[in-house]
Amino acid sequence: MPADGRGLVSALRTHLGTLAGTAVLAVLLWRLGTGAFLDGLRRIDAATVLAALGIGLVTTVFSAWRWALVARGLRIRLPLGPAVADYYRALFLNAALPGGVLGDVHRAVRHGRSAGDLGRGVRAVVLERVAGQVALIGFGVAVLLTMPSPVLAGARRLAPLVALALLGALAVVLALRMNRTPAGPTLPRRTPARQTPVRRTPVRRTPERRVRALRAALGEAREGLLSRRNLPGVAGSSVVVLAGHLAMFVLAARVAGSGASVAVLTPLAVLALLAMGLPLNVGGWGPREGVTAWAFGAAGLGAGTGLGVAVVYGVLSLAASLPGAVVLVARRRTVRYARSSSDTVTVTAVSSAKHSAKESARPASSSFPFSADPSEGRPMTPEAV
C-alpha cells in the first residue's frame, strides 16, 4: 500500500470514534430535529447547575478515593487532595476533547511520571476505570434482566437463540479438542561446526513470558482491587459513584420534563451509562443520545423526550466538571511561575559568578596593609589604607 494510503487509513482509525459520534448526532438531528436540543438547554437554570455541581463533587471525591486506593495497592503514593484535583481535570478534558478518554490518559501519564514509575501509574488508572465499569456492568445486568425495560423483552425473545448458539460453540470446541492428535517426539537437529554470523532479530515473546506477564497483571489487579485492605473501599466508592450518576440522570429527566418514576428511569439510565462507555463519541456525545432516544421511545416515553434528557445530562455533566478547568488553569500558572523563578535564579547565579570572577581578577588591595598601586595620586600610608 502506498504511503499516502497508509496515512489515510491511520487517520481514519485515529478519528473513527469522533466520526461515529458525529454521524450519530447528525442522524438524530435529521430525524428528531433541533427542538429537543434547544428545549433541553432552555430548561437548565442556576439551581440545576448547583445541584449538578454538588452531585459531581460527591462522585469525583469518591472516584479519586478509589484511584488512591488502587494506587496504594500497587505501592504508589497518591494523596487524596492531589487525586481529587487531577480527577477533576481529567473529567473536564474528557468532556471537552474528542474521544472521551484523553483526560484519563493525561492523569495516568502525569501520575506515573511524578511517582517515578510510568507503567504502574498507567495500570493504576486502568484498574480504577475497570473497577467502575465492572460495577456498572454488574448492576446493569441485574437491573436490565429483572426490571421492566426494552432490553428485558428482547432478552426473553433472544434467550433461546443465544443458549443454542452457546451450546453449539461449546460442542465445536469439545470436538476439536478430542480430535487433536498428540505431537510425537522431535529429534534434535544437527548443527554444523561452523556457522556464519546472522543478523540478530528482535526477541519475540514466548508463551512462558506471556504467561508470566499475565500472572503479574492478575497479581496487580488482585492487590489493587481484591485485597482485604482495598476491596471494601473500592466496592463502596464504586457504589456511591454509580448512585451519583443515576441521580444525575434522574435530575436531567426532571429538568427535561419527564415525569416517569425512578423505577422506570433506572433501566434507561443504565443503558445510557453503558453507551457512554463506548469510545465512539465526541466529548461524550453521540451514542448516549442515540441509545437514550431509542430507550425512551421503546418504553413509550417518546424518543424526543429521551433526546432532551440526554442533552440535559450532557450539559449537567459538563457543568459538574468545570472545577477541572480551574485546576487546569491554576496548574499552568503555577508551572509558568516556577519556570520564570528558575530562570531568574539561573540568571542571578550566572551574573554573580561573572562578578566574582572579575573581582578575583583584580589586585586584592584589601589583602595587604600596604598596596603597591597608588590611590587617587596620594602615597600609600596606613591612614590612607
Short mmCIF file of all heavy atoms in Angstrom, two decimals, residues 163-200:
data_model
loop_
_atom_site.label_atom_id
_atom_site.label_comp_id
_atom_site.label_asym_id
_atom_site.label_seq_id
_atom_site.Cartn_x
_atom_site.Cartn_y
_atom_site.Cartn_z
N ALA A 163 -28.83 -19.28 23.86
CA ALA A 163 -28.47 -20.54 24.53
C ALA A 163 -28.06 -21.60 23.51
O ALA A 163 -27.07 -22.33 23.70
CB ALA A 163 -29.64 -21.03 25.38
N LEU A 164 -28.81 -21.71 22.41
CA LEU A 164 -28.45 -22.69 21.38
C LEU A 164 -27.10 -22.35 20.74
O LEU A 164 -26.30 -23.25 20.46
CB LEU A 164 -29.55 -22.73 20.31
CG LEU A 164 -30.89 -23.35 20.73
CD1 LEU A 164 -31.91 -23.24 19.61
CD2 LEU A 164 -30.70 -24.80 21.15
N ALA A 165 -26.84 -21.08 20.51
CA ALA A 165 -25.55 -20.70 19.94
C ALA A 165 -24.40 -21.03 20.87
O ALA A 165 -23.35 -21.53 20.43
CB ALA A 165 -25.56 -19.20 19.61
N LEU A 166 -24.57 -20.79 22.17
CA LEU A 166 -23.52 -21.12 23.13
C LEU A 166 -23.28 -22.62 23.21
O LEU A 166 -22.14 -23.09 23.26
CB LEU A 166 -23.88 -20.57 24.51
CG LEU A 166 -23.86 -19.04 24.64
CD1 LEU A 166 -24.33 -18.62 26.03
CD2 LEU A 166 -22.48 -18.48 24.35
N LEU A 167 -24.36 -23.40 23.19
CA LEU A 167 -24.21 -24.86 23.21
C LEU A 167 -23.49 -25.36 21.96
O LEU A 167 -22.65 -26.26 22.02
CB LEU A 167 -25.57 -25.53 23.35
CG LEU A 167 -26.26 -25.38 24.73
CD1 LEU A 167 -27.64 -26.02 24.70
CD2 LEU A 167 -25.40 -26.01 25.82
N GLY A 168 -23.84 -24.80 20.78
CA GLY A 168 -23.17 -25.20 19.55
C GLY A 168 -21.70 -24.86 19.57
O GLY A 168 -20.85 -25.68 19.16
N ALA A 169 -21.36 -23.68 20.05
CA ALA A 169 -19.94 -23.30 20.13
C ALA A 169 -19.19 -24.20 21.10
O ALA A 169 -18.05 -24.62 20.84
CB ALA A 169 -19.83 -21.84 20.57
N LEU A 170 -19.82 -24.55 22.23
CA LEU A 170 -19.17 -25.45 23.18
C LEU A 170 -18.95 -26.83 22.58
O LEU A 170 -17.90 -27.46 22.78
CB LEU A 170 -20.02 -25.53 24.45
CG LEU A 170 -19.48 -26.43 25.58
CD1 LEU A 170 -18.12 -25.92 26.05
CD2 LEU A 170 -20.47 -26.48 26.73
N ALA A 171 -19.94 -27.33 21.82
CA ALA A 171 -19.78 -28.63 21.18
C ALA A 171 -18.65 -28.63 20.16
O ALA A 171 -17.87 -29.59 20.06
CB ALA A 171 -21.10 -29.04 20.51
N VAL A 172 -18.52 -27.56 19.40
CA VAL A 172 -17.43 -27.47 18.41
C VAL A 172 -16.07 -27.46 19.11
O VAL A 172 -15.12 -28.14 18.68
CB VAL A 172 -17.62 -26.21 17.53
CG1 VAL A 172 -16.39 -25.96 16.68
CG2 VAL A 172 -18.85 -26.37 16.66
N VAL A 173 -15.95 -26.71 20.18
CA VAL A 173 -14.66 -26.65 20.91
C VAL A 173 -14.30 -28.02 21.47
O VAL A 173 -13.16 -28.48 21.39
CB VAL A 173 -14.75 -25.59 22.02
CG1 VAL A 173 -13.51 -25.67 22.91
CG2 VAL A 173 -14.87 -24.21 21.41
N LEU A 174 -15.29 -28.72 22.06
CA LEU A 174 -15.01 -30.04 22.61
C LEU A 174 -14.63 -31.04 21.52
O LEU A 174 -13.73 -31.87 21.70
CB LEU A 174 -16.24 -30.55 23.37
CG LEU A 174 -16.57 -29.80 24.67
CD1 LEU A 174 -17.85 -30.36 25.29
CD2 LEU A 174 -15.41 -29.90 25.66
N ALA A 175 -15.28 -30.96 20.35
CA ALA A 175 -14.94 -31.86 19.25
C ALA A 175 -13.52 -31.62 18.75
O ALA A 175 -12.77 -32.56 18.46
CB ALA A 175 -15.95 -31.69 18.12
N LEU A 176 -13.13 -30.36 18.65
CA LEU A 176 -11.77 -30.06 18.20
C LEU A 176 -10.73 -30.55 19.20
O LEU A 176 -9.67 -31.05 18.82
CB LEU A 176 -11.62 -28.55 17.97
CG LEU A 176 -12.42 -27.97 16.78
CD1 LEU A 176 -12.26 -26.46 16.73
CD2 LEU A 176 -11.94 -28.60 15.48
N ARG A 177 -11.00 -30.42 20.47
CA ARG A 177 -10.04 -30.88 21.48
C ARG A 177 -9.94 -32.40 21.51
O ARG A 177 -8.86 -32.96 21.73
CB ARG A 177 -10.44 -30.35 22.86
CG ARG A 177 -10.27 -28.85 23.02
CD ARG A 177 -10.62 -28.42 24.43
NE ARG A 177 -9.70 -29.00 25.39
CZ ARG A 177 -8.54 -28.48 25.76
NH1 ARG A 177 -8.15 -27.33 25.22
NH2 ARG A 177 -7.77 -29.07 26.65
N MET A 178 -11.03 -33.09 21.28
CA MET A 178 -10.99 -34.55 21.29
C MET A 178 -10.29 -35.12 20.06
O MET A 178 -9.66 -36.17 20.12
CB MET A 178 -12.41 -35.11 21.38
CG MET A 178 -13.09 -34.84 22.71
SD MET A 178 -14.80 -35.42 22.75
CE MET A 178 -14.52 -37.19 22.57
N ASN A 179 -10.39 -34.44 18.92
CA ASN A 179 -9.78 -34.93 17.69
C ASN A 179 -8.35 -34.45 17.51
O ASN A 179 -7.74 -34.74 16.47
CB ASN A 179 -10.60 -34.49 16.47
CG ASN A 179 -11.97 -35.15 16.45
OD1 ASN A 179 -12.14 -36.26 16.95
ND2 ASN A 179 -12.95 -34.45 15.89
N ARG A 180 -7.80 -33.76 18.45
CA ARG A 180 -6.44 -33.28 18.32
C ARG A 180 -5.47 -34.45 18.50
O ARG A 180 -5.56 -35.20 19.45
CB ARG A 180 -6.15 -32.20 19.36
CG ARG A 180 -4.73 -31.64 19.28
CD ARG A 180 -4.50 -30.62 20.38
NE ARG A 180 -5.41 -29.50 20.29
CZ ARG A 180 -5.47 -28.53 21.20
NH1 ARG A 180 -4.68 -28.59 22.27
NH2 ARG A 180 -6.33 -27.54 21.05
N THR A 181 -4.55 -34.60 17.55
CA THR A 181 -3.57 -35.68 17.61
C THR A 181 -2.39 -35.26 18.46
O THR A 181 -1.90 -34.13 18.34
CB THR A 181 -3.08 -36.03 16.20
OG1 THR A 181 -2.52 -34.86 15.61
CG2 THR A 181 -4.23 -36.53 15.35
N PRO A 182 -1.90 -36.15 19.34
CA PRO A 182 -0.75 -35.76 20.17
C PRO A 182 0.50 -35.62 19.33
O PRO A 182 0.74 -36.38 18.39
CB PRO A 182 -0.63 -36.92 21.16
CG PRO A 182 -1.27 -38.08 20.48
CD PRO A 182 -2.38 -37.52 19.62
N ALA A 183 1.31 -34.68 19.65
CA ALA A 183 2.54 -34.43 18.90
C ALA A 183 3.60 -35.45 19.30
O ALA A 183 3.80 -35.74 20.48
CB ALA A 183 3.05 -33.02 19.18
N GLY A 184 4.28 -36.06 18.27
CA GLY A 184 5.31 -37.05 18.52
C GLY A 184 6.60 -36.41 18.96
O GLY A 184 6.79 -35.19 18.89
N PRO A 185 7.55 -37.25 19.43
CA PRO A 185 8.84 -36.70 19.87
C PRO A 185 9.62 -36.15 18.69
O PRO A 185 9.63 -36.73 17.60
CB PRO A 185 9.52 -37.90 20.51
CG PRO A 185 8.89 -39.09 19.87
CD PRO A 185 7.46 -38.71 19.60
N THR A 186 10.28 -35.08 18.88
CA THR A 186 11.09 -34.45 17.85
C THR A 186 12.55 -34.74 18.10
O THR A 186 13.02 -34.73 19.24
CB THR A 186 10.87 -32.92 17.86
OG1 THR A 186 11.20 -32.43 19.15
CG2 THR A 186 9.42 -32.59 17.55
N LEU A 187 13.27 -35.08 17.01
CA LEU A 187 14.68 -35.39 17.11
C LEU A 187 15.50 -34.12 17.08
O LEU A 187 15.14 -33.16 16.37
CB LEU A 187 15.10 -36.30 15.94
CG LEU A 187 14.41 -37.67 15.91
CD1 LEU A 187 14.85 -38.43 14.66
CD2 LEU A 187 14.73 -38.47 17.16
N PRO A 188 16.57 -34.05 17.83
CA PRO A 188 17.41 -32.84 17.80
C PRO A 188 18.11 -32.70 16.46
O PRO A 188 18.57 -33.68 15.87
CB PRO A 188 18.40 -33.08 18.95
CG PRO A 188 18.45 -34.56 19.11
CD PRO A 188 17.08 -35.07 18.77
N ARG A 189 18.18 -31.48 16.01
CA ARG A 189 18.83 -31.19 14.74
C ARG A 189 20.33 -31.08 14.93
O ARG A 189 20.81 -30.59 15.94
CB ARG A 189 18.29 -29.89 14.14
CG ARG A 189 16.82 -29.97 13.75
CD ARG A 189 16.39 -28.64 13.14
NE ARG A 189 14.99 -28.70 12.73
CZ ARG A 189 14.36 -27.67 12.16
NH1 ARG A 189 15.01 -26.53 11.95
NH2 ARG A 189 13.11 -27.81 11.81
N ARG A 190 21.05 -31.57 13.91
CA ARG A 190 22.49 -31.44 13.94
C ARG A 190 22.90 -30.07 13.42
O ARG A 190 22.44 -29.63 12.36
CB ARG A 190 23.13 -32.52 13.07
CG ARG A 190 22.93 -33.94 13.61
CD ARG A 190 23.64 -34.95 12.72
NE ARG A 190 23.46 -36.30 13.24
CZ ARG A 190 23.98 -37.39 12.64
NH1 ARG A 190 24.72 -37.23 11.52
NH2 ARG A 190 23.78 -38.57 13.16
N THR A 191 23.74 -29.43 14.15
CA THR A 191 24.20 -28.10 13.76
C THR A 191 25.59 -28.22 13.17
O THR A 191 26.42 -29.00 13.64
CB THR A 191 24.25 -27.16 14.98
OG1 THR A 191 25.08 -27.74 15.97
CG2 THR A 191 22.85 -26.98 15.57
N PRO A 192 25.88 -27.49 12.11
CA PRO A 192 27.21 -27.54 11.51
C PRO A 192 28.26 -27.00 12.46
O PRO A 192 27.97 -26.22 13.38
CB PRO A 192 27.06 -26.67 10.26
CG PRO A 192 25.91 -25.80 10.55
CD PRO A 192 24.98 -26.60 11.40
N ALA A 193 29.50 -27.41 12.22
CA ALA A 193 30.60 -26.98 13.09
C ALA A 193 30.83 -25.49 12.99
O ALA A 193 31.11 -24.81 13.96
CB ALA A 193 31.87 -27.76 12.74
N ARG A 194 30.75 -24.97 11.80
CA ARG A 194 30.97 -23.55 11.56
C ARG A 194 29.66 -22.91 11.09
O ARG A 194 29.02 -23.42 10.17
CB ARG A 194 32.05 -23.33 10.51
CG ARG A 194 33.43 -23.84 10.95
CD ARG A 194 34.44 -23.58 9.86
NE ARG A 194 35.76 -24.06 10.25
CZ ARG A 194 36.83 -23.98 9.46
NH1 ARG A 194 36.72 -23.44 8.24
NH2 ARG A 194 37.99 -24.45 9.89
N GLN A 195 29.33 -21.83 11.73
CA GLN A 195 28.10 -21.13 11.39
C GLN A 195 28.44 -19.71 10.99
O GLN A 195 29.29 -19.07 11.60
CB GLN A 195 27.13 -21.10 12.58
CG GLN A 195 26.62 -22.48 12.97
CD GLN A 195 25.63 -22.38 14.12
OE1 GLN A 195 25.43 -21.31 14.68
NE2 GLN A 195 25.02 -23.50 14.46
N THR A 196 27.80 -19.29 9.96
CA THR A 196 28.01 -17.93 9.50
C THR A 196 27.24 -16.98 10.41
O THR A 196 26.14 -17.30 10.89
CB THR A 196 27.50 -17.77 8.06
OG1 THR A 196 26.12 -18.14 8.03
CG2 THR A 196 28.29 -18.66 7.12
N PRO A 197 27.80 -15.82 10.70
CA PRO A 197 27.08 -14.86 11.56
C PRO A 197 25.80 -14.38 10.88
O PRO A 197 25.79 -14.09 9.68
CB PRO A 197 28.08 -13.72 11.74
CG PRO A 197 29.01 -13.84 10.58
CD PRO A 197 29.11 -15.30 10.25
N VAL A 198 24.76 -14.33 11.63
CA VAL A 198 23.47 -13.88 11.12
C VAL A 198 23.06 -12.61 11.86
O VAL A 198 23.52 -12.34 12.97
CB VAL A 198 22.38 -14.97 11.29
CG1 VAL A 198 22.72 -16.18 10.44
CG2 VAL A 198 22.24 -15.36 12.76
N ARG A 199 22.20 -11.87 11.23
CA ARG A 199 21.71 -10.63 11.83
C ARG A 199 20.74 -10.96 12.95
O ARG A 199 19.85 -11.80 12.81
CB ARG A 199 21.01 -9.78 10.78
CG ARG A 199 20.49 -8.45 11.33
CD ARG A 199 19.81 -7.66 10.24
NE ARG A 199 20.76 -7.33 9.17
CZ ARG A 199 20.42 -6.69 8.06
NH1 ARG A 199 19.15 -6.32 7.89
NH2 ARG A 199 21.33 -6.43 7.13
N ARG A 200 20.92 -10.28 14.07
CA ARG A 200 20.05 -10.53 15.23
C ARG A 200 18.67 -9.93 14.99
O ARG A 200 18.56 -8.80 14.54
CB ARG A 200 20.65 -9.91 16.49
CG ARG A 200 21.95 -10.61 16.93
CD ARG A 200 22.43 -10.01 18.24
NE ARG A 200 23.65 -10.67 18.69
CZ ARG A 200 24.28 -10.34 19.81
NH1 ARG A 200 23.81 -9.36 20.57
NH2 ARG A 200 25.37 -10.99 20.17
#
